[in-house]
């Protein structure tokens, strides 16, 4: 996208990392809302080693669980497919992307939690035939986080407003005081932009970069067609 967008999941992931009893995490949400981008950004900041596997694009990894769910066995199978992937205890994040394409990955989360040497984050749209199977696997040994497209506060962050600006706005609303015109006018303009653009990250990033609406409608129409196609393919 070119522009990194600050998201609310950033704080959640930071808190998750600082929880000594953290469980493997499943980040769920619609397609194209920025799940992978946010997880990658977090991983690059907090881990020496990141092992990323996309089960939809890298189908050759779907059989890494065929020998069972022992962590050493899974790590061995991954390493044989790509010996450049490094696994160092307490310094490695394993990122399983497109989880819906490999439900066995969800089953493995119990083993990873009990073993405790590696942090695991999974991401997926969870649309389609394996939804219930994924939801039932590793119950009690995983944590779920539902991510959405950008809300208005995240859109304001993208526009350059910081926490102090937003806290000022909230303080007026909390106290039931009229928002001053100098604050109200630019916020209203931002809200109008948000209503036109929406919260899909690629579109927001394009708007922020270009500072105009050029090409936005075409991007929105394409996303609409992509979602229609996905829903038609889902059972």
């Amino acid at each position: 996208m070119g522009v990194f967008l600050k998201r609310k999941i950033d704080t959640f992931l930071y808190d998750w990392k600082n929880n000594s009893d953290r469980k493997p995490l499943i980040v769920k949400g619609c397609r194209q809302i920025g799940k992978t981008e946010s997880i990658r950004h977090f991983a690059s900041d907090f881990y020496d080693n990141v092992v990323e596997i996309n089960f939809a694009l890298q189908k050759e990894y779907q059989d890494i669980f065929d020998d069972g769910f022992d962590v050493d066995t899974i790590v061995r199978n991954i390493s044989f497919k790509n010996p450049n992937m490094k696994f160092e205890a307490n310094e490695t994040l394993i990122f399983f992307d497109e989880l819906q394409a490999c439900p066995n990955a969800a089953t493995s989360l119990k083993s990873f939690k009990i073993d405790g040497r590696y942090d695991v984050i999974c991401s997926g749209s969870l649309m389609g035939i394996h939804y219930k199977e994924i939801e039932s696997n590793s119950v009690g040994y995983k944590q779920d986080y539902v991510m959405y497209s950008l809300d208005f506060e995240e859109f304001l962050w993208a526009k350059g407003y910081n926490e102090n600006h937003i806290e000022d706005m909230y303080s007026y609303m909390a106290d039931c005081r009229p928002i001053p015109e100098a604050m109200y006018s630019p916020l209203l303009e931002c809200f109008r932009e948000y209503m036109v653009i929406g919260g899909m990250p690629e579109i927001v990033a394009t708007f922020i970069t270009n500072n105009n609406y050029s090409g936005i409608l075409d991007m929105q129409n394409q996303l609409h067609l992509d979602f229609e196609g996905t829903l038609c393919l889902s059972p």
Side-chain angles (χ1 to χ4, degrees):
M1 289 187 298
V3 176
F4 175 73
L5 300 174
K6 177 183 175 183
R7 305 296 302 275
K8 291 182 176 177
I9 192 176
D10 300 341
T11 300
F12 175 86
L13 290 173
Y14 177 81
D15 292 339
W16 173 81
K17 178 71 169 66
N18 287 327
N19 180 359
S20 60
D21 192 36
R22 58 187 171 276
K23 299 176 180 179
L25 177 65
I26 298 180
V27 178
K28 300 182 286 187
C30 220
R31 296 185 183 275
Q32 303 296 317
I33 59 169
K35 299 185 299 295
T36 299
E37 186 75 14
S38 292
I39 294 168
R40 283 176 176 166
H41 183 78
F42 160 76
S44 66
D45 282 347
F46 292 99
Y47 292 89
D48 292 337
N49 305 306
V50 180
V51 175
E52 179 178 342
I53 296 172
N54 184 310
F55 288 115
L57 299 179
Q58 299 169 291
K59 297 182 184 299
E60 66 272 19
Y61 284 94
Q62 293 185 9
D63 65 358
I64 60 175
F65 309 103
D66 287 357
D67 298 323
F69 298 101
D70 174 73
V71 170
D72 286 330
T73 302
I74 296 169
V75 169
R76 181 201 66 196
N77 289 343
I78 295 173
S79 297
F80 266 101
K81 291 181 182 294
N82 186 346
N84 293 318
M85 290 184 174
K86 297 180 180 179
F87 293 86
E88 182 180 352
N90 304 314
E91 297 293 341
T92 301
L93 175 70
I94 300 174
F95 175 25
F96 291 141
D97 203 1
E98 300 293 353
L99 179 65
Q100 73 279 357
C102 186
N104 278 336
T107 305
S108 75
L109 299 185
K110 178 177 180 179
S111 298
F112 278 106
K113 169 57 181 171
I114 294 172
D115 181 89
R117 285 176 291 167
Y118 310 109
D119 290 346
V120 181
I121 296 180
C122 303
S123 174
S125 65
L126 300 188
M127 298 174 67
I129 192 169
H130 298 305
Y131 178 84
K132 290 183 179 179
E133 182 179 351
I134 289 172
E135 285 295 284
S136 63
N137 287 349
S138 296
V139 171
Y141 294 91
K142 64 180 176 66
Q143 182 175 1
D144 296 305
Y145 180 90
V146 181
M147 189 175 177
Y148 302 95
S149 57
L150 279 81
D151 61 23
F152 183 54
E153 185 174 5
E154 290 173 316
F155 181 76
L156 289 177
W157 292 342
K159 290 279 291 184
Y161 290 91
N162 59 37
E163 298 290 347
N164 291 331
H165 293 122
I166 294 172
E167 285 179 10
D168 284 344
M169 177 185 68
Y170 279 144
S171 69
Y172 280 95
M173 292 190 292
D175 296 338
C176 296
R177 292 179 293 149
I179 298 176
E181 183 63 27
M183 183 186 298
Y184 178 77
S185 292
L187 284 174
L188 180 60
E189 180 61 26
C190 286
F191 187 70
R192 286 170 174 160
E193 291 172 348
Y194 179 67
M195 289 295 97
V196 172
I197 296 166
M200 299 305 279
E202 183 182 8
I203 297 176
V204 173
T206 299
F207 176 75
I208 297 299
T209 300
N210 297 337
N211 198 30
N212 60 52
Y213 294 96
S214 176
I216 296 298
L217 182 59
D218 289 339
M219 295 175 70
Q220 291 172 326
N221 286 335
Q222 184 58 53
L223 277 173
H224 181 71
L225 291 171
D226 289 344
F227 275 107
E228 278 190 337
T230 301
L231 291 172
C232 288
L233 291 172
S234 298

